[in-house]
Amino acid sequence: MSEKKLPVSSQRMQELAQEYPTPFHLYDEQGIRMQARAFREAFSWVPGFKNYYAVKACPNPAILQIMKEEGFGADCSSLPELILANEAGMSNEDLMFTSNDTPPEEFKAAYDLGAVINLDDISHIRTLQMAAGMPSLISFRYNPGPDRTGNAIIGNPVEAKYGVTTQQLLSAYAQARDAGATRFALHTMVASNELDGSYIVETARMLFAQTIRLHRELGIRLEFVNMGGGIGIPYQVDQDAMDLNQVSAGIKELYDEMIVPAGLDPLNIVFECGRMVTGPFGYLVTRVRHVTEKYKQYVGLDASMANLMRPALYGAYHHITVVGKEDQKPTECYDVTGSLCENNDKFAIDRKLPPVEPNDIVVIHDTGAHGHAMGFNYNAKLRSAEYLLESNGSVRMIRRAETIDDLFATLHW
Ligand SMILES: *Cc1c(COP(=O)(O)O)cnc(C)c1O
């Protein structure tokens, strides 16, 4: 069971919605910090453990600053993401550059920043050399293909556009070494929003096996394996968060079984999780505009899928709290919608809620990852502000809302 509580009292939430124009995303700094610490604590047996926070989850400098303070790095997939992380004080090997279909100039920028470059394809060795040169440390993204099935969300690895195949892997490292690389790492990402910890443990088994293979076949000793992201969060009330201590213990067992006897200890283990770090600590705060009755009952919010696309895009469940009515019985059944001219602009379908009235404050949970970040401007909707609920209880704007001028800024009239 996951508790879906507000980060402040209902009364305070109502005040915040009065003080700041809705809709807006609110991030709970303390929750994020506790989560980051729990992650590090779970892997304290790994001396160089680091999570490279996936910037795409919540690309805001204030969030990245917190990540930096908690000892995390940043996983970037584009030049702007590299710039954001760099501005937050992360540099060199605190930056992981895991891109795909990468333009050469972004390889150059990553190289110049001293980021760890994680190549998505064997042909990119050449692209990187032409664009910038071969860095001393190089990583490859591994796609196990038919040797492993991805989880339901990320799909079958054979269909995935990412990574170097099992067959290409040895050649990739040999080529990189010939090109001057002297330090090596191995990455994979075969799950997304996974709540079953055994999946993560199996990912470690797969990477450890390739670590041993690279050593046996090429004499290459990896510095670290990068488990990617993909640890899920309990969006549904009846789901449980992944037990990180159990996952860590499972990985340690495999480490002692596989890596230590192969003489490959120490091998560092890192992750690139975004969702599990900030996802549960974001809240989309909205106000009810209309409650309407057609063939069904509808609650129309002042937010739309421009603020949170996951329900419309994936049919994803996001828990909803009607502020001040937490203790009332969910006697009604509503579709909770936005204002886009798209019928899939719904935050929830057939959701049981207490009776909702115009002007009620409705909070949508778990928007701290892939929430604001996926925002878009379809129907000329403006993206909302973001606020940080600081550990001391004060609230700070960390991104203002877009204005019509922002929207028009790129137009030639
Ligand atoms: C999206 C992504 C991540 C982060 O995934 P989460 O679900 O946020 O943990 C990490 N690495 C890569 C390469 C990604 O594409």
Side-chain angles (χ1 to χ4, degrees):
M1 289 289 283
S2 68
E3 264 192 289
K4 296 294 175 192
K5 290 210 301 203
L6 300 178
V8 293
S9 69
S10 302
Q11 198 197 331
R12 175 94 172 111
M13 187 58 89
Q14 261 150 350
E15 286 164 11
L16 292 176
Q18 209 56 46
E19 194 171 339
Y20 306 109
T22 54
F24 59 85
H25 287 269
L26 181 68
Y27 307 120
D28 171 13
E29 175 179 2
Q30 198 176 2
I32 293 170
R33 286 190 188 273
M34 302 298 273
Q35 183 83 326
R37 286 170 203 175
F39 198 7
R40 278 182 41 185
E41 193 54 39
F43 284 89
S44 56
W45 64 272
V46 181
F49 176 81
K50 196 187 265 299
N51 182 56
Y52 293 84
Y53 177 72
V55 175
K56 72 174 184 226
C58 193
N60 188 298
I63 299 295
L64 298 177
Q65 183 76 44
I66 294 171
M67 296 298 121
K68 159 92 184 152
E69 287 168 13
E70 295 299 333
F72 282 9
D75 176 42
C76 307
S77 63
S78 65
L79 177 57
E81 288 186 354
L82 280 169
I83 294 170
L84 276 171
N86 192 230
E87 287 291 319
M90 300 188 212
S91 59
N92 297 308
E93 292 176 16
D94 283 346
L95 301 170
M96 182 75 63
F97 188 58
T98 301
S99 56
N100 70 93
D101 196 20
T102 312
E105 61 274 17
E106 295 198 355
F107 277 138
K108 174 80 167 71
Y111 180 95
D112 290 344
L113 284 167
V116 182
I117 298 178
N118 186 24
L119 293 179
D120 183 66
D121 192 80
I122 191 166
S123 71
H124 294 177
I125 297 169
R126 183 100 189 100
T127 313
L128 175 60
Q129 277 184 288
M130 306 272 284
M134 179 54 62
S136 57
L137 171 61
I138 194 75
S139 174
F140 287 96
R141 178 172 187 158
Y142 174 49
N143 180 334
D147 300 339
R148 166 106 192 248
T149 49
N151 79 344
I153 294 150
I154 215 156
N156 178 357
V158 173
E159 299 294 332
K161 66 172 177 169
Y162 308 109
V164 175
T165 68
T166 305
Q167 221 201 325
Q168 292 166 336
L169 202 63
L170 295 179
S171 169
Y173 283 85
Q175 283 180 42
R177 184 169 59 184
D178 290 347
T182 54
R183 299 167 56 207
F184 303 92
L186 174 65
H187 165 270
T188 201
M189 170 99 189
V190 287
S192 183
N193 196 22
E194 181 61 63
L195 284 172
D196 180 352
S198 65
Y199 223 98
I200 308 298
V201 176
E202 285 311 300
T203 299
R205 186 194 301 279
M206 178 182 90
L207 289 181
F208 290 165
Q210 294 304 322
T211 300
I212 292 165
R213 176 175 173 233
L214 284 164
H215 184 247
R216 196 180 54 220
E217 303 294 327
L218 297 175
I220 281 178
R221 210 173 148 163
L222 297 184
E223 213 164 284
F224 64 86
V225 289
N226 178 347
M227 302 273 295
I231 297 180
I233 60 174
Y235 287 101
Q236 309 252 9
V237 176
D238 63 1
Q239 290 175 323
D240 291 313
M242 190 182 287
D243 183 339
L244 294 175
N245 291 317
Q246 202 177 327
V247 169
S248 173
I251 294 176
K252 176 152 196 336
E253 206 172 300
L254 290 178
Y255 187 94
D256 291 339
E257 242 173 69
M258 299 171 74
I259 296 299
V260 174
L264 298 176
D265 171 54
L267 169 71
N268 194 16
I269 300 170
V270 306
F271 281 81
E272 292 174 345
C273 290
R275 185 194 310 268
M276 62 85 76
V277 182
T278 53
F281 309 103
Y283 304 83
L284 177 57
V285 182
T286 74
R287 187 179 291 275
V288 176
R289 278 191 186 140
H290 305 283
V291 180
T292 58
E293 276 187 45
K294 303 168 199 285
Y295 300 100
K296 299 175 79 173
Q297 295 195 93
Y298 294 92
V299 170
L301 303 179
D302 59 3
S304 72
M305 70 184 276
N307 306 109
L308 177 67
M309 205 197 292
R310 298 190 70 260
L313 190 61
Y314 312 121
Y317 178 93
H318 279 263
H319 196 71
I320 288 176
T321 297
V322 185
V323 180
K325 299 185 175 177
E326 291 86 343
D327 298 330
Q328 291 186 24
K329 288 212 166 56
T331 54
E332 306 301 307
C333 182
Y334 297 108
D335 281 12
V336 181
T337 81
S339 54
L340 287 194
C341 302
E342 275 287 340
N343 195 41
N344 66 344
D345 183 18
K346 294 182 178 176
F347 296 109
I349 296 173
D350 295 331
R351 185 68 56 90
K352 300 273 193 296
L353 293 172
V356 175
E357 290 151 284
N359 277 321
D360 278 349
I361 301 304
V362 163
V363 171
I364 303 177
H365 292 254
D366 301 311
T367 69
H370 319 138
H372 188 282
M374 276 190 185
F376 66 129
N377 290 116
Y378 186 61
N379 254 189
K381 294 295 175 189
L382 303 174
R383 274 168 296 193
S384 76
E386 297 178 289
Y387 291 88
L388 185 66
L389 172 63
E390 294 176 316
S391 299
N392 64 12
S394 58
V395 171
R396 175 163 68 95
M397 179 156 55
I398 58 174
R399 185 197 302 268
R400 67 164 172 80
E402 282 177 338
T403 63
I404 293 177
D405 283 344
D406 291 331
L407 189 64
F408 293 168
T410 52
L411 291 176
H412 285 258
W413 292 87

